[in-house]
Amino acid sequence: MNRKFSWFNATSLTLGFAFLYLPMLILIIFSFNESKLVTVWAGFSTKWYGELVRDQAFLNAAWTTLKVAVISSSVSTVLGTMAAYVIVRAGRFTGRTLFSGMIYAPLVMPEVITGLAMLLLFITIGLDRGVTTIILAHITFTMCFVSVVVSSRLATFDKSLEEAALDLGCTPWDAFRSVTLPIIAPAVISGWLLAFTLSLDDLVISQFVAGPSATTLPMKIFSSVRLGVNPQINALSTIMIAIVTIGVISASLITKRSIARQRAEEQAAVRN
Amino acid sequence: MNPRRLFLILTPYLWLLVFFLIPFVIVLKISLSDYAISIPPYTPTFDLSAGWEGFKSFLSALDTENFTFLATDALYYTAYLSSLKIAFIATVLTLLVAYPIAYGMAQAPDEWRPTLMMLVILPFWTSFLIRVYSWIGILSNEGFLNQFLLWLGVIDTPLIILNTQAAVYVGIVYTYLPFMILPIYSALEKLDGSLIEAAEDLGCSKIQAFWLVTFPLSRPGVIAGCFLVFIPTLGEFVIPSLLGGSSTLMIGKVLYEEFFSNRDWPVASAVAVVLLLILIIPIVLFQRNEQKQREAN
C-alpha cells in the first residue's frame, strides 16, 4: 500500500514517535542535571555519572548482570539452535507435541509464574540460590526465543543443500558446520543478541530465583526506583540506552551489508 | 534411532523437561498443600524413604483448600477481575494509539520505511524497566506533565496521575506499543492500494473506504497485536508496582506479594495455577488465529 502521504499520516507519525521517544529523551537530558531534584533543571553536570562509577554496589551488580547475560545467552543459543533443528528437521518422534509445547509456552508465560515455578524447583532439589540459579533460569526462558528465531530461518532454507553435502561424503556434523551453519548464522547471531538483551533486562525471574547473595542490575534499579526518581538511575539508564542504540544500529548495518553482498553474489552466479 | 539424533533431540528436551515442565508440576503440588511454619513453609513434604505407604499418605494430605480460599476471599477474585479489565482496556487503548502510527508507516515513502521500522523496534530492545521508570518523572505531582499543564494554564492544581490506574494504562500502552504496531503494519503493508482506489471510484468516501476495505483487510494484524498485548499484560508485575501504587490491584503483583511478603507459598502457587488456567483461553485463541493466517497464505 503506497498512496498519498497526507498531513494526517505525517501528524500521526510525528505524535507517535514523540510519544515513544520523548520520555527517554527527558530521562537522558536530566541525567546531566546538576540538581538532585530530577524535574528541575539546575545546570549541566556529569557528577551523577561520577557517583555511579564510584558506587561499588552498582559495579558489582553490573558485573553479575554481564556475567549472567554472556553465559546464559551463549548456552541458550546452543540449546535453542538444537531445539530449532529438532522442530524443523527431526521429523516425527515420540513426545514431539510436548516438545513444541514446551518451546512455545515460555514465550507467553507470565514472568511471575515462570519465576515462582523455577524457584520452587531449585528449593525442592536443594540447589543454593545465587548466580548459578539465575543463569539456569535465564537459559531456560531465553532458549525458546532463540529457537523461534532460528527455526523460522531453518524452515525457509533448502534442505537439498544439506542432502547434497551428505551425498558428497560429508558427515552430518561437517554438513551442518560447512553448509547449514553459515546459512543460518545471521539468525543464530540475532538469536544470541535477543537472548543477551532479554537476560540483561530480566527483573522478575531473577528476583524470584536470585536469593539474598546475588543482585543483578535490574534488581538494583528496581529497589532504588521504588523509593522515587533518582538521578543516578537516570545516568545508568542513559548508558544502557546508548549501548543498546549503538548495538541495534550496527547490527542492522551489518545485516544490510550481508544482504547486499548475498544479492551481489547471487547475481554473479546467475551471470556465470 | 542413531545416537547422534538421540543426542540432538534429548539435550533440549531434557533441559526443558527439568527446568520448565517439572517446576510446574511442583507448583501444582504445592498449590494443593497446606501452609506451615517450617522450612520449606508448606506441608506435606514428600519423603522418598517412606516408600509407597508414604506416597499414599502424601497424596491423601493434598486438598483443594487453597482454591476454595481464592474463590471466597474477595482480594483474589477482585484482583483477577481487575487484571482482566485493565488488560482489556489497555489493549483497546494500545490499538487506538498504534493503528494511526502503523497506517502512517504503511503509507510513508518506501525509502523511509527501514528507518521507521528501526524507530519502532529500538525501544523494544531498550530495558523494559527503564522505559517504565521514565514515566515516574513525567507523571508525578511535580513531574513534567503537571509542570507543562500548569504553565499552559489548563489546570491550577497538579493532577494526581502517578500511583493511579491511569498511570498503569499509560505505562502499558507505552511499553507494549511496538507489539501492536508491527503486526498491523505488516498487514497494512501487504494491502493493495488499488483496492482502495476502486472503492473510491465506486463512490465511497475516504472514511467509508477505510471502514469497508482497509480496516477489514488489516484485521489479522489487529487481532494478532491485541493478543500480543493482552496476554502479557494480564500477568504484568513491573508496571503496576512502579506506576500503579497500592490502589491498583493486579494479579501478578498479588502473587508476588503473597510469596515474598506473606511467605504463603501454597496460596501463591494456587494463584499461579488459576492465572495459567485463565491464560489458556486467549493463548489457544491466538494459536488458532495464527494457524488460520498461515493456512490463508
Side-chain angles (χ1 to χ4, degrees), chain A residues 1-6 8-9 12-13 15-17 19-24 26-27 30 38-40 75 79 82-83 85-86 89-96 98-99 101-106 108-114 116-125 127 135-137 139-140 143-144 171-173 190 193-194 197-198 201 203-204 207-208 217-219 221-222 225-226 228-231 233-234 236-238 240-241 244-245 248-249 252-253 256, chain B residues 1 4-5 7-9 11-13 15-24 26-27 30 40 42 97 100-110 112-114 116 118-131 133-138 140 142-144 147 170 173-174 177-178 181 188-194 196-197 200 206 214 231-232 235-238 241-242 252-253 255-257 259-260 265 268-269 271-273 275-276 279 283 286-287:
Chain A
M1 179 164 86
N2 201 351
R3 298 172 9 104
K4 281 159 288 155
F5 190 64
S6 63
F8 175 79
N9 295 330
S12 62
L13 281 185
L15 287 180
F17 286 111
F19 176 64
L20 272 178
Y21 283 92
L22 218 51
M24 281 192 264
I26 294 174
L27 192 82
F30 275 81
V38 240
T39 50
V40 184
V75 178
L79 285 172
M82 286 172 94
Y85 218 76
V86 171
R89 287 293 153 81
R92 290 177 177 281
F93 58 89
T94 336
R96 193 180 195 284
L98 178 66
F99 185 71
M102 288 194 298
I103 286 287
Y104 290 109
V108 287
M109 195 63 68
E111 285 175 306
V112 277
I113 297 184
T114 314
L116 176 73
M118 293 218 185
L119 171 62
L120 294 177
L121 169 81
F122 294 140
I123 288 171
T124 308
I125 61 177
L127 193 62
I135 292 175
L136 289 173
I139 292 171
T140 310
M143 71 176 273
C144 304
T171 64
W173 169 244
S190 47
L193 276 175
L194 184 61
T197 330
L198 287 169
D201 198 19
L203 165 72
V204 180
Q207 196 93 323
F208 272 99
L217 215 45
M219 289 164 69
I221 295 175
F222 186 68
V225 159
R226 277 197 139 174
V229 189
N230 168 344
I233 301 287
N234 281 24
L236 179 64
S237 308
T238 306
M240 289 171 80
I241 292 172
V244 167
T245 311
V248 171
I249 291 176
S252 91
L253 289 180
K256 222 183 260 174
Chain B
M1 204 186 274
R4 208 179 283 109
R5 181 177 147 92
F7 172 76
L8 183 69
I9 294 177
T11 316
Y13 208 128
W15 184 285
L16 287 172
L17 223 48
V18 171
F19 291 105
F20 190 74
L21 197 64
I22 291 177
F24 282 99
I26 296 173
V27 169
I30 293 179
Y42 55 85
V97 176
I101 301 176
Y103 189 80
M105 282 171 68
Q107 300 213 320
D110 283 341
W112 292 11
R113 288 193 192 169
L116 292 176
M118 169 89 93
L119 283 173
V120 174
I121 292 170
L122 196 58
F124 167 80
W125 291 90
T126 316
S127 167
F128 186 82
L129 189 58
I130 290 176
R131 282 185 291 148
Y133 164 70
S134 70
W135 281 95
I136 298 180
I138 298 175
S140 66
E142 60 281 0
F144 299 103
Q147 285 182 20
V170 172
V173 172
Y174 183 66
L177 198 58
I181 294 178
L188 284 173
E189 195 203 12
K190 280 185 287 207
L191 203 136
D192 187 354
S194 57
I196 300 159
E197 274 161 35
E200 286 177 9
K206 275 200 159 54
T214 314
I231 293 169
E236 185 53 57
F237 163 74
V238 177
S241 54
L242 285 185
K253 213 175 106 192
L255 192 162
Y256 186 91
E257 275 158 12
F259 191 84
F260 283 106
W265 295 11
S269 304
V271 169
V273 171
L275 177 56
L276 262 185
L279 272 169
I283 289 172
F286 177 58
Q287 289 284 1

